[in-house]
Amino acid sequence: MPITILDQRWILETDQSAYVLGLNTAGKLAHIWWGARLPRAVDYPRPVDPGEWSSFDTAAHRTPLEYPGWGGTDYTEPCLKVTFADGVRDTVLDYAGSQLVNGELPELILTLRDRDYPLRVDLHYRLHETTNLIERWVVVTHEGSQPVTLERVFSAQWHLPADGTYTLRHTVGRWNDEMRLVREPLMPGCKVLESRRLTSSHHANPWFSVDRGSTDENQGEVWFGALVWSGNWKLAAEVTEFGATRLSMGVNDWDFAWTLHAGETFTTPACLAGYTHYGYGAASRLCHDYIRSEVLPHGKTLHPVLYNAWEAVQFAVDEPSQMRLADLAAEMGVELFVVDDGWFKGRENDRAGLGDWTPDLRKFPRGLGPLIQKVHDCGMRFGLWVEPEMVNANSDLFRAHPDWVIQFPTRARTEARNQMILNLARTDVQNHLIDTLDRLLSENAIDFIKWDMNRNVSEPGWQTVDGDPREFWVRYVQGLYRVWGTLRNRHAQIFWQGCSGGGGRADLGILHLADQLWTSDNTDAKARLRIQEGFSQLFPANVMEAWVTDAGAGNTSLSFRFHVSMCGSLGVGGALDCWSAAEREEARSWIELYKSIRPVVQQGYQYRLLSLQQGPFAALNYVSKDGSQGVLFAFHLDEPGPAVFPRLRLRGLDPQAVYRVEGVEDTRSGAAWMEDGLDLGLGCLESTVRRIERVD
Ligand code: DGJ
């Protein structure tokens, strides 16, 4: 049984981990255990009652409450902050019952109620047993009559074992430089990571990984998690004065408020978290598996090799030039031809057109039909770029609805890339987008949409709102999910790519809608390797769209650039009409190879072998789930210098089985490849891709 109830404790077990909570002697719902699964339910401890340290540090402050509300003498980070109608701003949450839900997955609901006010808080726990993940979310219900205001409602607080000192890993970045992996000790105090930008952002990602001891890629304890949300978020990693470590995560409470009227509920986004004692690599593989099997709309579908001319031509798209490129792309074996920005009315540059989603008749006098037909005749699928949430002042949409943009009317509005954001919190704006995009998709045989978003919010005003304008942050994201979700349902055959100027909205929320993500606008292969390492911490290779472009062509060979992109979902974005026939032929052969290894790369297990954090080398291998096939990629990034490429030990093979590694004469056992490894002897700026095959 994955959920056991024993002596007022709830024991939640996945294949390898356990999470236990229970009622302490004061009757409070307290956290007890998160870590390895023990052989018997009775082995798990009982709640600890830490007692009072002083009048400044009461038992309430020291108790690891499972979901603390702000109130009393607990000064640790709360999950819930409420102002009641009479002005009281203190919550006292008592345990009020539990319920096991018989759904597809095991689920537990624990109910808390405020002692004096009609507020109910349901804590939901859903178990993903094979991926060792626990999914938590919270539903707050107002059971009284006078409105209450929620000012913070986190999805979860995760307590780490009390006896540890921990290291936090997370990513930071900026546009063109996303997903830099950072590792730092958690010290007493509170480390906050967040976004206030309306998207999950390039700058930090709603993902965490915490470890203790000598954890590395292959061994050691890791606690990890991510928020299923595409808007403002917050992670508060707190180490108390008494050495307790807790991570609270949820919608950011910055400028947030939500009014609950009688009978209304507020449901938080889910927060997923897991535990493994097999290192960072295992934590990533659990996330990859979960994303492919339970999040992605087309998780098992292999992603096509695409061509996108954005970097090659920018806004200069028109029917004849795109048709020429389509011929060249098809000859190389490309399967999906995508027309990026610049195709719609008035879009000569980034100062006009956003909002008017009809073809520019100067560029496409016959509409998109003939180009789509041509692409289909070439045996490729057709994709199109849109940026639905945005509008330029120079557009028919803005001229008709200037009040639809986010702004404070008394303030000058800030434009970024000459564009403004439509207020998707408004139902009329949502309906307009659904109708407009539905028409575009119904009138044209489109197979793929790239959904972009190229700025962050400013002056978050909402003029026509009936309630609290600070609901905007959540209602916008809910509106986005509604628009995109409706279109997804109506056009189920379409494959979607999420993008926000590269990786500005890479999160588990958007992956319920988008099949893949545009990883970064930085397509220089050397820079990409670092970005891809950060991206792979949470996201599987099929989600990571990676183009071979002309960026970095001066110092990296075409093969090096292909090898880097072949580690993810391969695309091409170079100026094909400037490539020589020999280059296009070489590209054709890499695409052919990629198609043969694609099932292993996109659906297999990924093992990071060498990290750019340790030296100028990167290497990783993928292994199919049945252990019969693998692929090895290795890169030496150094400029000419003394670094010698290290001996590589492969991972994830069956130790008893015998494997051949392409380019090596002898076959060897999986154990030999993993324990002894192989010498690739890669020189500066050399790379290799090798197939691995089980031969016994
Ligand atoms: C930003 C994206 O990341 C690029 O790939 C491209 O689509 C441009 N926007 C187009 O404006």
Side-chain angles (χ1 to χ4, degrees), residues 433-656:
L433 289 179
I434 290 170
D435 292 347
T436 307
L437 295 170
D438 188 30
R439 200 170 318 118
L440 178 70
L441 298 177
S442 303
E443 288 174 359
N444 297 282
I446 292 170
D447 309 295
F448 173 98
I449 287 284
K450 174 177 176 181
W451 183 308
D452 204 348
M453 191 215 194
N454 280 301
R455 64 161 293 184
N456 292 139
V457 74
S458 61
E459 299 93 29
W462 177 0
Q463 299 155 51
T464 52
V465 66
D466 282 340
D468 193 319
R470 292 169 299 173
E471 293 183 7
F472 159 77
W473 302 103
V474 169
R475 292 204 183 271
Y476 182 96
V477 179
Q478 291 175 337
L480 170 71
Y481 289 170
R482 176 178 168 242
V483 173
W484 198 331
T486 306
L487 293 166
R488 261 215 89 97
N489 290 339
R490 289 192 193 166
H491 302 275
Q493 82 290 356
I494 288 183
F495 209 73
W496 302 76
Q497 183 183 92
C499 172
S500 175
R505 194 160 56 190
D507 55 71
L508 295 189
I510 219 71
L511 284 183
H512 283 274
L513 300 161
D515 303 278
Q516 59 172 220
L517 300 172
W518 178 226
T519 317
S520 176
D521 278 345
N522 189 339
T523 57
D524 178 283
K526 290 202 285 178
R528 257 307 172 101
L529 275 177
R530 204 237 349 108
I531 295 170
Q532 293 184 181
E533 184 180 339
F535 195 86
S536 73
Q537 302 299 318
L538 175 62
F539 300 112
N542 61 337
V543 161
M544 186 176 76
E545 177 62 26
W547 306 343
V548 176
T549 68
D550 301 318
N555 58 29
T556 40
S557 62
L558 192 58
S559 62
F560 191 100
R561 284 177 277 142
F562 261 98
H563 293 166
V564 171
S565 294
M566 287 160 77
C567 293
S569 183
L570 176 65
V572 179
L576 296 187
D577 41 359
C578 301
W579 287 17
S580 67
E583 284 171 322
R584 291 203 302 274
E585 173 53 24
E586 182 181 342
R588 193 201 56 71
S589 69
W590 289 126
I591 291 172
E592 189 177 305
L593 172 63
Y594 179 74
K595 288 177 185 170
S596 73
I597 59 174
R598 170 166 55 185
V600 183
V601 172
Q602 293 192 7
Q603 294 290 333
Y605 294 122
Q606 185 194 65
Y607 296 82
R608 294 179 291 257
L609 307 178
L610 291 176
S611 164
L612 288 169
Q613 306 228 323
Q614 265 97 53
F617 314 111
L620 59 169
N621 74 258
Y622 299 78
V623 180
S624 62
K625 289 198 168 172
D626 66 1
S628 66
Q629 307 284 322
V631 192
L632 165 67
F633 292 94
F635 306 88
H636 185 152
L637 268 81
D638 214 7
E639 303 303 332
V644 176
F645 198 86
R647 196 168 171 85
L648 265 190
R649 293 162 70 193
L650 305 184
R651 294 283 165 213
L653 305 178
D654 176 350
Q656 305 303 328

Side-chain angles (χ1 to χ4, degrees), residues 53 97 159 173 274 313 356 434 468 488 575 630 669:
W53 176 267
H159 296 255
V313 303
D356 299 342
I434 290 170
D468 193 319
R488 261 215 89 97
S669 66

